[in-house]
Amino acid sequence: MGIAALLAIGLAFGCGKTGEEYAGHVVRAVDQGKITATRSDMETIGRALEAATFDRGGYPAGSTIQDAMAGIVPAQLRLAVTADAWGRPFEYRSDGRTYTLTSAGTDGATGTDDDLALTDGRFTGLPAPSR
Protein backbone atom coordinates (compact mmCIF):
# COMPACT_ATOMS: atom_id res chain seq x y z
CA MET A 1 0.00 0.00 0.00
CA GLY A 2 1.37 3.40 -0.94
CA ILE A 3 2.08 6.22 1.46
CA ALA A 4 -0.73 8.35 -0.01
CA ALA A 5 -3.22 5.55 0.59
CA LEU A 6 -2.06 5.06 4.18
CA LEU A 7 -2.22 8.80 4.79
CA ALA A 8 -5.72 8.93 3.31
CA ILE A 9 -6.93 6.09 5.52
CA GLY A 10 -5.34 7.52 8.65
CA LEU A 11 -6.70 11.01 8.10
CA ALA A 12 -10.10 9.68 7.10
CA PHE A 13 -10.58 8.03 10.45
CA GLY A 14 -9.25 11.07 12.28
CA CYS A 15 -11.48 13.50 10.37
CA GLY A 16 -14.65 11.42 10.41
CA LYS A 17 -14.82 11.08 6.63
CA THR A 18 -15.26 7.77 4.93
CA GLY A 19 -12.11 6.30 3.45
CA GLU A 20 -13.63 6.42 -0.01
CA GLU A 21 -14.57 10.09 0.31
CA TYR A 22 -11.14 11.06 1.56
CA ALA A 23 -9.37 8.97 -1.08
CA GLY A 24 -11.37 10.85 -3.71
CA HIS A 25 -10.10 14.15 -2.30
CA VAL A 26 -6.51 12.87 -2.38
CA VAL A 27 -6.84 11.69 -5.99
CA ARG A 28 -8.31 15.04 -7.08
CA ALA A 29 -5.50 16.91 -5.30
CA VAL A 30 -2.87 14.76 -7.01
CA ASP A 31 -4.53 15.27 -10.40
CA GLN A 32 -4.71 19.04 -9.82
CA GLY A 33 -0.98 19.04 -9.05
CA LYS A 34 -0.29 17.18 -12.28
CA ILE A 35 -2.43 19.63 -14.24
CA THR A 36 -0.48 22.53 -12.74
CA ALA A 37 2.89 20.89 -13.51
CA THR A 38 1.84 20.02 -17.07
CA ARG A 39 0.55 23.54 -17.68
CA SER A 40 3.87 24.96 -16.44
CA ASP A 41 5.86 22.65 -18.72
CA MET A 42 3.66 23.57 -21.67
CA GLU A 43 4.16 27.28 -20.97
CA THR A 44 7.94 26.73 -20.89
CA ILE A 45 7.86 24.86 -24.20
CA GLY A 46 5.63 27.59 -25.65
CA ARG A 47 8.10 30.33 -24.68
CA ALA A 48 10.93 28.33 -26.28
CA LEU A 49 8.88 27.88 -29.45
CA GLU A 50 8.17 31.62 -29.55
CA ALA A 51 11.89 32.33 -29.19
CA ALA A 52 12.61 29.91 -32.03
CA THR A 53 10.50 32.00 -34.39
CA PHE A 54 13.02 34.83 -34.05
CA ASP A 55 15.98 32.55 -34.82
CA ARG A 56 14.37 30.38 -37.49
CA GLY A 57 11.63 32.57 -38.94
CA GLY A 58 8.95 30.11 -37.81
CA TYR A 59 8.08 27.28 -35.49
CA PRO A 60 9.76 23.89 -35.89
CA ALA A 61 7.55 22.08 -38.40
CA GLY A 62 6.49 18.54 -37.60
CA SER A 63 3.98 16.16 -36.13
CA THR A 64 5.74 14.88 -33.01
CA ILE A 65 7.07 16.39 -29.82
CA GLN A 66 10.51 15.17 -30.92
CA ASP A 67 10.23 17.43 -33.99
CA ALA A 68 9.57 20.39 -31.70
CA MET A 69 12.45 19.49 -29.37
CA ALA A 70 14.86 19.08 -32.30
CA GLY A 71 14.13 22.69 -33.24
CA ILE A 72 14.49 24.26 -29.78
CA VAL A 73 16.96 22.17 -27.71
CA PRO A 74 19.49 23.40 -26.62
CA ALA A 75 19.24 26.90 -28.13
CA GLN A 76 15.92 27.90 -26.54
CA LEU A 77 15.34 25.06 -24.05
CA ARG A 78 18.18 23.47 -22.10
CA LEU A 79 16.64 20.00 -21.77
CA ALA A 80 13.97 18.24 -23.80
CA VAL A 81 10.54 18.05 -22.17
CA THR A 82 8.55 15.44 -24.06
CA ALA A 83 6.00 14.09 -21.58
CA ASP A 84 3.27 15.50 -19.37
CA ALA A 85 3.03 14.92 -15.61
CA TRP A 86 1.20 11.62 -16.23
CA GLY A 87 4.21 10.37 -18.21
CA ARG A 88 2.44 10.52 -21.58
CA PRO A 89 4.08 12.17 -24.59
CA PHE A 90 2.89 15.62 -25.54
CA GLU A 91 1.28 15.86 -28.96
CA TYR A 92 2.75 18.54 -31.23
CA ARG A 93 1.58 19.70 -34.63
CA SER A 94 3.08 22.55 -36.62
CA ASP A 95 3.21 23.69 -40.23
CA GLY A 96 5.90 26.22 -39.34
CA ARG A 97 3.47 29.15 -39.13
CA THR A 98 1.32 27.92 -36.24
CA TYR A 99 1.56 25.16 -33.65
CA THR A 100 -0.56 23.24 -31.19
CA LEU A 101 0.86 21.44 -28.17
CA THR A 102 -1.53 19.06 -26.41
CA SER A 103 -1.59 16.95 -23.26
CA ALA A 104 -4.25 14.25 -23.06
CA GLY A 105 -4.79 15.17 -19.41
CA THR A 106 -6.04 12.98 -16.61
CA ASP A 107 -7.90 10.40 -18.71
CA GLY A 108 -5.09 9.90 -21.23
CA ALA A 109 -7.41 10.33 -24.23
CA THR A 110 -7.18 13.31 -26.57
CA GLY A 111 -10.30 15.11 -27.68
CA THR A 112 -11.88 15.09 -24.22
CA ASP A 113 -12.74 17.87 -21.76
CA ASP A 114 -9.66 17.33 -19.59
CA ASP A 115 -7.12 18.00 -22.38
CA LEU A 116 -4.67 20.86 -22.07
CA ALA A 117 -4.00 22.58 -25.39
CA LEU A 118 -1.60 25.42 -26.18
CA THR A 119 -1.89 27.04 -29.61
CA ASP A 120 0.63 29.68 -30.63
CA GLY A 121 1.43 30.54 -27.01
CA ARG A 122 -2.16 30.70 -25.72
CA PHE A 123 -4.12 28.02 -23.92
CA THR A 124 -7.10 27.03 -26.03
CA GLY A 125 -8.06 24.14 -23.79
CA LEU A 126 -7.84 23.72 -20.02
CA PRO A 127 -9.72 21.31 -17.78
CA ALA A 128 -12.19 22.73 -15.29
CA PRO A 129 -10.84 22.79 -11.72
CA SER A 130 -11.74 19.66 -9.75
CA ARG A 131 -14.13 19.91 -6.84
Side-chain angles (χ1 to χ4, degrees):
M1 183 177 294
I3 247 190
L6 289 173
L7 179 64
I9 291 168
L11 289 174
F13 287 114
C15 297
K17 295 183 179 195
T18 67
E20 186 175 312
E21 181 182 355
Y22 194 79
H25 291 297
V26 170
V27 168
R28 282 189 293 282
V30 168
D31 281 342
Q32 193 61 46
K34 288 183 178 185
I35 290 168
T36 300
T38 296
R39 182 177 178 167
S40 176
D41 285 346
M42 292 175 74
E43 289 170 338
T44 298
I45 294 167
R47 284 190 297 273
L49 289 166
E50 294 300 319
T53 63
F54 294 109
D55 293 344
R56 303 170 50 121
Y59 301 113
S63 59
T64 68
I65 189 64
Q66 288 77 16
D67 293 332
M69 292 298 121
I72 60 176
V73 173
Q76 286 83 23
L77 190 62
R78 189 177 321 171
L79 299 172
V81 180
T82 60
D84 62 18
W86 293 273
R88 296 184 208 102
F90 286 114
E91 292 187 9
Y92 175 78
R93 301 278 183 269
S94 177
D95 61 4
R97 295 182 311 258
T98 184
Y99 77 87
T100 299
L101 180 67
T102 306
S103 163
T106 305
D107 68 4
T110 54
T112 58
D113 289 341
D114 71 333
D115 292 357
L116 289 84
L118 184 73
T119 301
D120 300 338
R122 295 183 181 259
F123 279 97
T124 55
L126 286 171
S130 61
R131 296 178 187 199

